[in-house]
Amino acid sequence: MSNDISKKESEPALQDHQHVEVADEIDTELEALLHTDLKVGLTDEVHAERLERFGRNELAESKTNPLLKIIGYFTDAIAILIIIALIFCAVVGEWTNVGIISFLLVLNAFVGFLMEAKAESALDALKSSLSLKTKCWRNGELAEVESALLVPGDLIVLRLGDIVPADCRLLGISITGEPSPAPLQIDQSALTGESLPVDKRKGQIAYSSSVVKQGQMMAVVTKTGGNTFIGRAANLISMTNEKGHFQKIIGQIGNFLVLVTVVMVLILLTYLLATLKVYNKDTIMDSIKKVVVLTVAAVPVGLPTVLSVTMAVGARQLSHKQVIVKRLTAVEEMASVSILCSDKTGTLTLNQLTFDDPWLVGDFTKENILLYSFIASEPGANDPIEKAVRAAAITDVPCLRDLTSHDIPGFKVTSFVPFNPTSKRTQATVIDLNTGETYHVSKGAPPTMIKLVGGSDAAVNAVNNLASRGLRALGVARTYPGDPETWHLVGMISLLDPPRPDSAETIRRCHEYGVQVKMITGDQLIIAKEVAHRLGMQRAILDANKLVEKGVDEETITLRCMRADGFAQVIPEHKYRVVELLQKRGLLVGMTGDGVNDAPALKKANVGIAVHDCTDAARSASDIVLLAPGLSTIIDGITTSRAIFQRMRSYAIYRITSTIHILIFFFIIILWRQWHMNEILLIFIAVLNDLATIVIAFDNAQISQRPDKWRIGQLIFMSILLGSLLTVLSFAHFFIGINYLGFVENHDKLGELQTMMYLHISSAPHFVIFSTRLAGFFWEKLPSWFFFLAIMLTQVLALIMSVTGIPTIMVSINAGAAFGVLGVSLVSFMILDVVKVFVMRAWSFQVTATFWPTPSRRSKLAQRKRVAADHLRLIENVEKIKKVVVSVEAINHFTR
């Protein structure tokens, strides 16, 4: 072998394709380790030393302690609320309540842990994407070694079909040590998003996990493990461990309930203790028992479980549509996604070069140019361009459609000259068996073919036009019998990685549902613009370098990002940056992709979507996996997730309304009348009603045409309003029971009044869920029969319990009073439904920002006011211009 390898200049057959080359600087210290003796390779001693220094060629694992994970489920706001109730029950010796509440607390934690335990590790998949074995020179011999043991300076052999095991620099020599002038063709689309394999020559870097498509060459390992290109992607994934959108929403709801409960409990306990006439253990414990009622009432015990079950049912529905949900909360977040960033190569496009409309000379036809291209193609060539041309010819040329070999019916190829870097074209001599005429056909790089035919300004313009649209051109020419030296141009073949058949329709439907689609690709800007145009998108494609432009402030870059329809020449850091910038504007972002280069952005996005035939890294970094090719199933994901969102929001409003109603009622009644209810009855209400409400996952739901939002300010205000009106109704029941039905206001927990109040508190808030299902009137979309039946059966059970009674827990009441309570509850929900509709119609973001101000809302409100003012000024200016135009026309008319 020899270190002195001459470099031969060569050019590809087509116009240059400038592939994405990631800066890969190597420091001086590492560079010194790369000049390994080509005859020996590394010795065992040197290898051991470097393995100790650089570590194994694998990605570091980052795992959370399972114990810490479990503890985390007991530290969120709702869990804390349940624990507070648990402590109070234990202090006063209500052990039955302690058992029930403890079971519910553990159940919520178990459901959450079970969901997270099913998630796959993105880093594990990235690790497994490295090749297992590779050919490497060690101690003067070519041996097969584990790729995990490679170190910088190792000499490896790359051949057709190999997965590159580490970042390495190509040496330009074959395994025998002879110069290898032909480049390696490497498919790095999963890393950089390029649609075509790229040529790699001596001195260039082949990246870990890319695939060798053609050729053979030796290389020296430059970087391993976490220092490789794929390693940087893994680092970005490990950095992205933010709390999801759904967890934040539940946290806000929980924090609100905790705050209200703690304030009310402290006020109530302080008042009861301050008004005690005698201070001893019995009187103090009695005061605490009354407070227990309030804390138990405030616990939304079923909130996490019901929402989790609702999402799980939605995930199962999506699985029937070939949409697999890995993270349940992604079902809710998908409904709120307003921007979908989609990788181009392999997602919006087919990731295969395809014949496009050709440019033709004179009377030549599409069939002519395809037939001549087929004749001038090399049988069995693995080149993607040759494959595309031959596939198009077999499809569109009648005589080739049933072809099983390269023999062409009616023609005989007598000689063939393959492509070489000097001629930059192929040439075939062919006999037409029908006429006996012999002629030549050729195809090759456009400049070569134009020169071959003696020049053509029209052809030059055609090539430039195709290039400006991002299409790759290939010239085709032929001679005529009797004049073998004169070449005539047939035309130019154009090639493109085409959009999937369903991509344009999917993008259009996304726009109908208020979701803006942004295309992201590693290809050149002109190619991205052409694909965007074919997809029905605008051509406002941004060069990814504009996302990291020095001297430009973050706000300006963010505005560029929001206005763009897509981004070209991106690397993984750029994709991550796009998602990050959009999220900082408060937008929920979905990201689709299929390659390793998409993994960081998939992990960072609110909803990461791995498409059909994706890499393990993309699949593991994502929240949702599409099993069908293309993006069409995303529409199913959007519609199903929005239906699920409406069900969850409906339940959340109902549950918070119920909690606020019980809090306000018992807070006032205990302060005013020292009356309280058996805590067991309150737990009955919470558990039975929530069990019935679980079937809301199967309810009919309206699908909104815009991305859904929780609108916490509106949700809390609505819940407080409905809860307050229910409180008024509860007091009406309380005093009607005392003053007109003759129920005794006893304070020993048993009595007809308590039974009546149990039935009322069980039914009135529960029927409200028929209203909270929709933003409009409840009859606009009736509930499913299953959901309606479940709710009604719960109240029938409460009715039976109230009429028959439960020993030591509940005294029976007469059937007339019980039916009267249920009737009033049904009528009251209809009245509350009207109130809800008018509040929904009157509500706006300005109201939310006023009643529930936060820095982000104030900033957004100010921005909206500025936009509205600018719009108003624009209208005023237009009106002024119209008046001037009318005046000028009037003057012209008068002068005429």
Side-chain angles (χ1 to χ4, degrees):
M1 297 185 184
S2 171
N3 281 312
D4 184 19
I5 305 166
S6 61
K7 180 180 179 181
K8 295 185 179 180
E9 297 293 336
S10 62
E11 296 180 19
L14 301 181
Q15 65 218 60
D16 288 340
H17 170 54
Q18 296 178 1
H19 64 82
V20 177
E21 191 70 55
V22 180
D24 194 60
E25 297 180 0
I26 300 175
D27 58 44
T28 307
E29 186 179 0
L30 180 58
E31 180 68 43
L33 303 179
L34 305 183
H35 301 285
T36 307
D37 188 337
L38 298 179
K39 296 180 181 179
V40 179
L42 296 182
T43 62
D44 289 338
E45 294 77 13
V46 174
H47 172 263
E49 178 189 340
R50 294 187 185 181
L51 187 63
E52 177 70 23
R53 176 179 172 182
F54 293 100
R56 290 170 62 88
N57 180 34
E58 56 190 13
L59 301 174
E61 299 182 34
S62 177
K63 294 185 178 179
T64 306
N65 189 312
L67 182 60
L68 294 178
K69 244 186 215 180
I70 294 172
I71 293 173
Y73 292 110
F74 295 94
T75 56
D76 62 75
I78 292 178
I80 291 172
L81 198 58
I82 297 175
I83 291 171
I84 291 172
L86 186 67
I87 293 171
F88 272 116
C89 289
V91 168
V92 299
E94 298 282 354
W95 300 113
T96 302
N97 294 345
V98 168
I100 296 173
I101 294 174
S102 297
F103 170 75
L104 293 171
L105 181 65
V106 173
L107 178 63
N108 286 336
F110 175 75
V111 171
F113 183 79
L114 194 62
M115 285 194 310
E116 193 166 332
K118 292 181 179 179
E120 299 173 342
S121 168
L123 293 180
D124 284 344
L126 283 170
K127 176 182 175 181
S128 68
S129 69
L130 294 173
S131 60
L132 300 178
K133 298 281 186 179
T134 191
K135 293 284 187 180
C136 178
W137 283 95
R138 288 274 175 82
N139 302 307
E141 295 181 358
L142 187 63
E144 190 174 63
V145 301
E146 290 185 30
S147 62
L149 300 178
L150 291 177
V151 295
D154 260 328
L155 297 175
I156 61 174
V157 180
L158 299 178
R159 297 175 296 181
L160 173 66
D162 284 351
I163 298 174
V164 181
D167 286 2
C168 54
R169 180 188 293 161
L170 300 181
L171 297 175
I173 58 175
S174 67
I175 192 171
T176 61
E178 297 299 319
S180 178
L184 276 186
Q185 274 198 357
I186 293 184
D187 180 1
Q188 56 183 35
S189 60
L191 295 166
T192 63
E194 296 171 278
S195 56
L196 275 178
V198 296
D199 288 344
K200 297 276 188 174
R201 295 177 171 80
K202 178 183 177 182
Q204 291 186 300
I205 299 295
Y207 298 113
S208 171
S209 292
S210 56
V211 181
V212 179
K213 288 294 186 179
Q214 191 169 313
Q216 182 192 85
M217 196 179 294
M218 286 188 60
V220 59
V221 174
T222 58
K223 294 182 179 180
T224 58
N227 295 319
T228 60
F229 183 88
I230 189 177
R232 293 200 294 273
N235 289 334
L236 282 176
I237 291 176
S238 63
M239 286 160 45
T240 310
N241 292 311
E242 296 179 5
K243 187 182 289 187
H245 174 257
F246 179 71
Q247 285 88 346
K248 292 177 183 177
I249 293 298
I250 295 300
Q252 290 179 35
I253 294 173
N255 291 337
F256 169 75
L257 293 178
V258 167
L259 178 63
V260 173
T261 303
V262 169
V263 170
M264 286 188 169
V265 165
L266 289 177
I267 293 173
L268 185 60
L269 186 58
T270 302
Y271 172 80
L272 292 175
L273 292 176
T275 54
L276 287 178
K277 296 179 180 179
V278 179
Y279 286 91
N280 57 43
K281 182 179 178 181
D282 292 336
T283 57
I284 292 174
M285 291 298 287
D286 184 61
S287 297
I288 294 176
K289 282 184 180 181
K290 292 174 181 176
V291 173
V292 167
V293 176
L294 199 63
T295 39
V296 170
V299 177
V301 286
L303 182 61
T305 303
V306 171
L307 296 183
S308 294
V309 170
T310 303
M311 288 186 289
V313 170
R316 189 162 60 251
Q317 292 170 348
L318 286 172
S319 70
H320 296 152
K321 299 177 180 180
Q322 295 188 296
V323 179
I324 304 301
V325 177
K326 287 177 50 194
R327 178 174 60 88
L328 280 186
T329 54
V331 175
E332 175 269 337
E333 291 169 11
M334 184 70 176
S336 303
V337 165
S338 58
I339 292 182
L340 180 65
C341 296
S342 177
D343 177 57
K344 177 186 77 69
T345 307
T347 304
L348 293 174
T349 65
L350 295 171
N351 194 20
Q352 60 185 41
L353 211 57
T354 304
F355 179 80
D356 201 66
D357 292 334
W359 176 81
L360 299 168
V361 175
D363 295 330
F364 287 114
T365 65
K366 179 180 176 181
E367 284 187 16
N368 293 148
I369 198 170
L370 282 174
L371 176 61
Y372 298 146
S373 299
F374 190 88
I375 292 171
S377 64
E378 184 178 357
N382 203 33
D383 183 81
I385 294 169
E386 292 281 36
K387 283 184 176 180
V389 170
R390 286 159 55 196
I394 291 172
T395 302
D396 294 337
V397 180
C399 69
L400 300 178
R401 285 176 185 163
D402 298 324
L403 198 66
T404 57
S405 66
H406 196 69
D407 293 332
I408 306 166
F411 298 90
K412 181 179 181 180
V413 177
T414 59
S415 68
F416 180 79
V417 180
F419 171 85
N420 66 74
T422 303
S423 67
K424 301 175 188 173
R425 67 185 180 92
T426 64
Q427 179 174 317
T429 303
V430 62
I431 300 174
D432 187 331
L433 298 180
N434 295 319
T435 64
E437 296 176 337
T438 301
Y439 54 91
H440 306 301
V441 293
S442 178
K443 76 173 188 298
T448 300
M449 302 308 294
I450 292 172
K451 184 179 179 181
L452 184 67
V453 299
S456 169
D457 291 340
V460 171
N461 292 334
V463 171
N464 291 336
N465 180 56
L466 292 172
S468 68
R469 293 167 51 204
L471 299 174
R472 294 169 176 83
L474 189 69
V476 178
R478 64 160 290 177
T479 65
Y480 286 102
D483 188 10
E485 302 300 323
T486 304
W487 288 90
H488 301 270
L489 191 64
V490 176
M492 295 287 170
I493 286 176
S494 61
L495 300 166
L496 179 74
D497 177 16
R500 289 183 180 275
D502 61 343
S503 291
E505 175 64 12
T506 300
I507 291 172
R508 186 190 66 78
R509 293 196 63 191
C510 281
H511 288 163
E512 285 182 356
Y513 284 108
V515 179
Q516 182 184 359
V517 179
K518 293 182 183 291
M519 181 178 70
I520 300 181
T521 178
D523 269 329
Q524 291 175 279
L525 191 62
I526 55 173
I527 297 174
K529 287 185 176 183
E530 177 65 18
V531 173
H533 174 68
R534 296 185 181 220
L535 290 170
M537 303 170 67
Q538 299 297 318
R539 295 196 186 203
I541 307 298
L542 190 69
D543 188 315
N545 292 321
K546 296 290 184 182
L547 296 171
V548 290
E549 190 173 357
K550 293 182 180 179
V552 180
D553 61 272
E554 188 94 341
E555 180 66 18
T556 301
I557 292 177
T558 302
L559 289 175
R560 287 177 181 174
C561 190
M562 294 182 67
R563 292 168 182 165
D565 293 297
F567 308 89
Q569 300 185 135
V570 300
I571 58 175
E573 288 85 347
H574 290 150
K575 296 186 180 186
Y576 187 94
R577 173 87 164 141
V578 168
V579 175
E580 185 179 45
L581 288 172
L582 293 172
Q583 287 177 332
K584 285 182 179 178
R585 293 302 291 260
L587 301 170
L588 261 69
V589 182
M591 173 73 195
T592 73
D594 62 348
V596 177
N597 63 317
D598 302 315
L602 289 172
K603 186 72 172 179
K604 174 66 176 173
N606 299 95
V607 181
I609 304 167
V611 299
H612 179 66
D613 280 344
C614 59
T615 62
D616 287 341
R619 185 180 299 111
S620 293
S622 64
D623 307 303
I624 293 174
V625 180
L626 306 182
L627 299 184
L631 291 180
S632 58
T633 47
I634 281 186
I635 301 299
D636 292 326
I638 290 174
T639 54
T640 303
S641 65
R642 290 188 184 179
I644 294 165
F645 181 95
Q646 292 299 333
R647 294 165 188 154
M648 294 171 62
R649 189 171 185 274
S650 164
Y651 172 76
I653 295 177
Y654 147 73
R655 197 64 191 83
I656 299 171
T657 296
S658 300
T659 300
I660 289 173
H661 159 233
I662 295 174
L663 277 173
I664 297 175
F665 175 71
F666 282 105
F667 178 75
I668 296 174
I669 205 72
I670 292 173
L671 281 178
W672 183 16
R673 313 282 291 205
Q674 300 286 303
W675 187 87
H676 61 281
M677 184 183 284
N678 189 337
E679 304 86 37
I680 291 290
L681 296 181
L682 288 174
I683 292 178
F684 275 170
I685 293 171
V687 174
L688 291 178
N689 286 7
D690 278 342
L691 282 175
T693 312
I694 285 178
V695 300
I696 196 173
F698 304 96
D699 185 30
N700 297 328
Q702 282 186 334
I703 298 173
S704 61
Q705 292 300 117
R706 307 296 301 171
D708 287 309
K709 294 182 179 179
W710 278 97
R711 295 182 176 87
I712 292 296
Q714 182 193 71
L715 186 147
I716 297 296
F717 177 82
M718 179 71 72
S719 299
I720 292 174
L721 177 61
L722 296 179
S724 300
L725 294 175
L726 285 171
T727 300
V728 173
L729 186 64
S730 296
F731 275 108
H733 276 75
F734 185 83
F735 288 110
I736 288 173
I738 294 173
N739 298 324
Y740 295 97
L741 300 180
F743 294 161
V744 180
E745 187 185 354
N746 54 341
H747 299 273
D748 61 356
K749 295 187 178 181
L750 290 176
E752 293 175 317
L753 179 62
Q754 185 159 163
T755 302
M756 185 190 73
M757 293 307 297
Y758 160 76
L759 182 58
H760 158 69
I761 293 172
S762 172
S763 61
H766 207 203
F767 288 151
V768 169
I769 199 168
F770 291 136
S771 172
T772 61
R773 296 174 54 253
L774 307 171
F777 294 105
F778 74 91
W779 62 79
E780 291 178 4
K781 193 172 185 69
L782 296 176
S784 67
W785 68 268
F786 187 42
F787 177 63
F788 177 78
L789 190 62
I791 301 298
M792 297 309 296
L793 284 178
T794 305
Q795 299 315 313
V796 169
L797 178 61
L799 176 70
I800 294 172
M801 290 168 56
S802 301
V803 172
T804 59
I806 301 175
T808 73
I809 295 177
M810 186 188 296
V811 175
S812 64
I813 59 174
N814 66 74
F819 277 105
V821 170
L822 284 185
V824 171
S825 295
L826 281 170
V827 172
S828 63
F829 113 75
M830 298 178 189
I831 297 172
L832 292 178
D833 186 64
V834 175
V835 173
K836 173 212 69 182
V837 170
F838 282 105
V839 170
M840 288 287 194
R841 289 178 179 176
W843 198 271
S844 66
F845 176 76
Q846 187 170 351
V847 175
T848 303
T850 303
F851 284 95
W852 198 272
T854 63
S856 63
R857 285 183 182 143
R858 285 195 294 268
S859 174
K860 187 183 291 185
L861 184 60
Q863 182 184 358
R864 289 189 179 185
K865 288 181 177 179
R866 286 195 299 271
V867 171
D870 291 340
H871 183 65
L872 183 61
R873 280 195 297 271
L874 179 61
I875 293 175
E876 290 174 350
N877 291 335
V878 170
E879 292 299 323
K880 288 178 181 178
I881 293 171
K882 285 181 179 179
K883 290 178 180 179
V884 171
V885 171
V886 170
S887 300
V888 170
E889 288 178 349
I891 292 171
N892 290 338
H893 178 73
F894 179 76
T895 55
R896 285 198 299 268

